[in-house]
Amino acid sequence: MVDKLNRSASALRKWLHDHALPLWHAKGFHGAEGGYSETLTLTGQATTTHRRSRVHPRQVFCFAEAGVRRWSGDWQSAVESGFSYYDRTYQLENGLYASLADHEGKVLDESFDLYNQAFAILAYAHIAKAQPHRSHNLSVRATQMLNTLKATYAHPKAGFEEASPRKLPLCSNPHMHLFEAALACEAQAGFDQEIWRAQADDIAELCLTHFIDQESGGLREFFDGEWRPHPDERGRIMEPGHQFEWAWLLTRWAISRNRPDALLKAKRLFEIGEGRGLCAVRKVAVMALLDDFSVHDPLARLWPQTEWLKSAMLLAVVTEGEERRAYLASAVRALDALQLFLDVPLKGLWRDKLQADGSFVDEDAPASSFYHIVCAIYELEDCLARLA
């Protein structure tokens, strides 16, 4: 299995470095005056659709991390000019970021979304990782943003609100990405480790005590104002992709904090994702379950396959014997699932939505998926190196 995983890792790195990064740089990046495209057509042409703000820091993450991993292309311009456009176009007077702009850079939606702010902070950390001379400035900016979030949107019990004044339901997903960003900031030289360690701990505890159902071990998406499951059907939703993604993050946190209880919960999340969230026919992770683990949405998107791969590989690293072999076998299946979405005529693109009947939705390739793909490929490499 390890040999097959190593061959797959080599093939994916070649796909990423020789095809995807050059294509998205040439066609999906438009410099300091244009930022990043929301999508590319499956023939590799840029589109002029409205652009969510989250796309820009996610693409910055991809090129910054590619620079750290010694991609030979011009990652510096993609990072510096792309982030300059993002700042100039989306940043509001309070230092937070708007949600949507048109192709020409006119802001269409200034509303707050914690999800968008989390990706800004993640980009700060990864720019600093790729360009250490910028660490001090980016550390200051990250801390200022966190302070603004706490001052304006802190939930009285734990975590953050969705809006001020309050808007329900409260959501676990943006906290997951803020957790990821906090862990990245904590690990980044020049950032305030104490502040970010505390923020990561706060979100981890919120997840362990409220996001994860104490009986089933499954992670919910939507909550009332007291972090109880939302009273309508939304409160019952459990997404397999997020079981995997939280499993990956909680495993990282559990190992760094010596928290075997959190590791057990991470393993249970993975067990639910793999045992209940995969389609037996298409061999892919589906979009959503209900809390009785019945399928709520059979659509399969690209990103849950990457999270399946990441969590399987990291859990293989921290286990031994038969348990490790089981996680490695699952990682092989996750790679097969991911490859379905990457199998398009023009290398470097992907499809996003596989329908219940086994056909793909005919649509452009979304830039937002690149973050998931890049993270999965490099996590696969890192975990294989640790296993070696």
Side-chain angles (χ1 to χ4, degrees):
M1 278 185 295
V2 172
D3 287 344
K4 181 174 182 179
L5 288 166
N6 276 307
R7 290 193 298 272
S8 295
S10 296
L12 283 169
R13 174 177 270 259
K14 181 175 178 61
W15 175 90
L16 176 62
H17 284 210
D18 293 356
H19 301 284
L21 287 162
L23 177 61
W24 284 89
H25 191 286
K27 299 296 185 178
F29 171 59
H30 312 289
E33 300 306 312
Y36 297 99
S37 292
E38 176 80 18
T39 56
L40 293 182
T41 68
L42 291 182
T43 59
Q45 302 305 308
T47 59
T48 56
T49 56
H50 296 337
R51 294 180 292 180
R52 297 168 295 165
S53 69
R54 68 189 61 176
V55 165
H56 300 273
R58 285 164 80 127
Q59 294 296 79
V60 166
F61 164 91
C62 293
F63 286 101
E65 196 62 17
V68 171
R69 307 298 180 126
R70 294 180 291 186
W71 178 54
S72 60
D74 182 18
W75 61 269
Q76 292 92 339
S77 69
V79 169
E80 293 164 8
S81 297
F83 199 76
S84 174
Y85 176 86
Y86 171 59
D87 262 351
R88 188 179 69 254
T89 301
Y90 293 91
Q91 193 169 40
L92 305 172
E93 289 185 6
N94 63 0
L96 302 180
Y97 291 88
S99 289
L100 186 71
D102 66 15
H103 179 68
E104 296 180 346
K106 178 184 177 183
V107 172
L108 302 175
D109 181 2
E110 292 189 355
S111 64
F112 172 79
D113 190 332
L114 181 63
Y115 189 104
N116 294 331
Q117 319 315 316
F119 275 103
I121 295 171
L122 184 69
Y124 293 161
H126 281 270
I127 295 170
K129 182 180 176 183
Q131 299 179 322
H133 66 279
R134 301 177 68 181
S135 288
H136 175 72
N137 173 260
L138 291 163
S139 173
V140 170
R141 289 188 62 176
T143 301
Q144 287 175 339
M145 178 174 280
L146 182 61
N147 289 339
T148 299
L149 291 173
K150 288 181 174 179
T152 312
Y153 297 100
H155 185 279
K157 188 172 185 178
F160 294 90
E161 302 279 358
E162 290 295 307
S164 180
R166 170 176 282 178
K167 179 179 71 175
L168 296 177
L170 302 179
C171 304
S172 58
N173 188 25
H175 287 80
M176 181 185 71
H177 289 297
L178 187 57
F179 186 33
E180 179 184 19
L183 291 171
C185 290
E186 180 189 340
Q188 180 54 44
F191 280 50
D192 190 325
Q193 271 76 35
E194 184 177 347
I195 288 174
W196 291 106
R197 182 182 178 91
Q199 184 57 58
D201 289 352
D202 287 349
I203 295 176
E205 295 296 350
L206 178 59
C207 175
L208 294 172
T209 57
H210 290 85
F211 297 165
I212 293 176
D213 183 84
Q214 300 306 302
E215 294 185 8
S216 73
L219 184 129
R220 298 182 191 272
E221 300 289 330
F222 301 106
F223 302 86
D224 71 9
E226 299 301 316
W227 292 120
R228 296 176 299 229
H230 196 267
D232 65 19
E233 188 178 55
R234 287 174 292 180
R236 299 187 60 203
I237 292 173
M238 295 180 172
E239 295 188 10
H242 287 153
Q243 312 302 305
F244 291 131
E245 200 164 2
W246 275 104
W248 176 64
L249 290 166
L250 280 177
T251 298
R252 291 169 55 190
W253 182 82
I255 297 304
S256 70
R257 305 303 197 260
N258 190 25
R259 286 286 298 272
D261 61 320
L263 182 57
L264 283 174
K265 291 198 173 188
K267 289 180 178 181
R268 174 58 180 158
L269 292 176
F270 184 90
E271 179 184 13
I272 292 167
E274 184 187 46
R276 301 302 189 106
L278 304 184
C279 173
V281 176
R282 292 170 292 161
K283 311 296 185 185
V284 291
V286 302
M287 197 62 207
L289 308 174
L290 293 178
D291 56 7
D292 61 0
F293 301 139
S294 61
V295 173
H296 179 62
D297 183 355
L299 183 76
R301 293 191 62 191
L302 183 153
W303 69 263
Q305 322 314 318
T306 66
E307 305 315 307
W308 176 12
L309 175 60
K310 286 159 55 181
S311 54
M313 287 304 304
L314 186 57
L315 284 166
V317 168
V318 302
T319 53
E320 297 178 342
E322 280 301 318
E323 191 177 16
R324 171 176 288 179
R325 283 188 282 274
Y327 285 125
L328 291 174
S330 189
V332 170
R333 294 191 293 272
L335 277 166
D336 290 341
L338 175 59
Q339 192 58 51
L340 291 173
F341 293 81
L342 303 184
D343 188 14
V344 296
L346 182 57
K347 287 185 178 181
L349 296 175
W350 45 82
R351 295 191 182 274
D352 183 52
K353 300 182 184 75
L354 180 64
Q355 299 177 103
D357 65 3
S359 65
F360 282 101
V361 175
D362 186 15
E363 60 184 348
D364 300 330
S368 56
S369 299
F370 205 17
Y371 146 80
H372 290 282
I373 297 168
V374 168
C375 192
I377 291 172
Y378 291 143
E379 183 71 358
L380 174 61
E381 289 188 344
D382 289 349
C383 289
L384 286 168
R386 292 169 69 179
L387 288 169

